[in-house]
């Protein structure tokens, strides 16, 4: 995984200290940076666009980063914080394998610090970057509400609250409901997840020795299951093996 330069952590922490000292709980606002950093969205877009042109995996990774960050303690950029000797951070929790490309957020933050120092939170950068990668991938555009504060607590063990790839529908509904998200949001976010790639480890339990009665999960399309079995040979020595979540999408 690309190392997250300490420089950015310093920026974020500094911003955090400034804002927690002075802020009460204010409403989020599309125009939050209109006066203090009017070029915020342009700077983030340029950075994300350039990175995506160099590496087509960036959009899926940024979108996943936003989801993983928001699901734990809200959209507070706590996923960006590094582990310390006394604390294993969210970033180093078991589901971290799919979350990468932190350098893109770091680059945007560095440019924003140059343009408007100590103004834009990392939480807002991830939110805007996530919207940009969706739009860039021919998804919708939406106005990002800004003014989110960066969190300072990040615990690897809390990533257990992310919905597991093995969850069935009722478990997913329950998991999202705990975050105040309804079935509409569950469907929309799952649809967003079709951008990108899934490792065999996330779905191979459905392909072999599924139960005492069925070798393959009987709720799966059998032709599709057969195709996935070819992608995930057993024993699966290739840990990078897997399949695009949507065969019609790019990475
Ligand atoms: C564009 O992205 C590449 C790869 O991440 C990076 O090396 C380069 O500095 C970026 N250029 C600009 C103008 O941001
Ligand atoms: C994920 O976190 C573990 C520690 O829990 C660490 O050993 C591993 O290198 C991390 N993986 C990535 C891709 O950063
Ligand atoms: C995570 O660990 C902290 C202490 O390190 C503990 O207070 C907390 O309850 C744990 N959370 C979960 C979800 O296990
Ligand atoms: C989903 O999984 C849970 C836990 O294994 C189980 O109790 C529940 O019956 C399952 N629901 C459906 C609809 O399969």
């Amino acid at each position: 995984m690309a190392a997250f330069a300490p420089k950015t952590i310093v920026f974020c922490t500094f911003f955090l200290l400034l804002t927690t000292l002075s802020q009460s709980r204010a409403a989020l606002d599309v125009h939050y940076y209109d006066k203090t950093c009017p070029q915020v969205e342009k700077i983030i877009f340029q950075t994300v666009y350039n990175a995506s042109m160099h590496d087509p995996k960036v959009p899926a990774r940024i979108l996943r980063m936003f989801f993983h960050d928001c699901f734990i303690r809200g959209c507070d950029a706590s996923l960006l914080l590094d582990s310390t000797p006394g604390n294993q951070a969210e970033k180093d929790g078991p589901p971290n394998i799919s979350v990468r490309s932190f350098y893109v957020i770091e680059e945007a933050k560095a440019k924003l610090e140059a343009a408007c120092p100590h103004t834009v939170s990392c939480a807002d950068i991830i939110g805007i970057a996530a919207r940009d990668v969706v739009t860039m991938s021919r998804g919708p555009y939406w106005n990002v509400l800004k003014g989110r504060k960066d969190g300072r607590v990040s615990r690897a063990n809390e990533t257990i609250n992310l919905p597991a790839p093995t969850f069935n529908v009722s478990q997913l509904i329950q998991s999202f409901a705990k975050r105040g998200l309804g079935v509409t949001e569950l469907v929309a976010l799952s649809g967003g997840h079709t951008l990108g790639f899934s490792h065999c480890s996330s779905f191979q339990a459905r392909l072999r020795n599924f139960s005492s009665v069925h070798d393959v999960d009987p709720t799966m399309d059998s032709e599709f299951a057969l195709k996935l079995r070819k992608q995930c040979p057993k024993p699966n020595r290739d840990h990078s093996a897997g399949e695009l979540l949507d065969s019609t999408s790019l990475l």
Side-chain angles (χ1 to χ4, degrees), residues 212-233:
S212 54
V213 194
H214 299 282
D215 190 30
V216 176
D217 180 345
T219 65
M220 283 184 85
D221 177 275
S222 52
E223 218 172 289
F224 182 52
L226 207 64
K227 180 176 174 248
L228 292 179
R229 277 170 76 131
K230 285 188 192 135
Q231 286 300 112
C232 304

Side-chain angles (χ1 to χ4, degrees), residues 44-55 107 111 136:
I44 295 171
F45 175 79
Q46 284 171 346
T47 309
V48 171
Y49 182 80
N50 173 57
S52 304
M53 290 300 114
H54 282 81
D55 177 2
E107 253 177 57
K111 287 181 191 161
M136 233 179 264

Side-chain angles (χ1 to χ4, degrees), residues 166-211:
T166 51
F167 275 8
N168 63 27
V169 171
S170 25
Q171 289 170 307
L172 284 171
I173 290 173
Q174 207 173 40
S175 169
F176 278 70
K178 279 190 201 149
R179 296 288 176 275
L181 299 169
V183 176
T184 304
E185 283 98 346
L186 164 59
V187 171
L189 288 164
S190 302
H193 227 284
T194 65
L195 186 64
F197 176 89
S198 175
H199 289 93
C200 292
S201 56
S202 297
F203 57 83
Q204 63 192 3
R206 302 176 72 188
L207 304 178
R208 291 184 186 88
N209 305 322
F210 178 71
S211 69

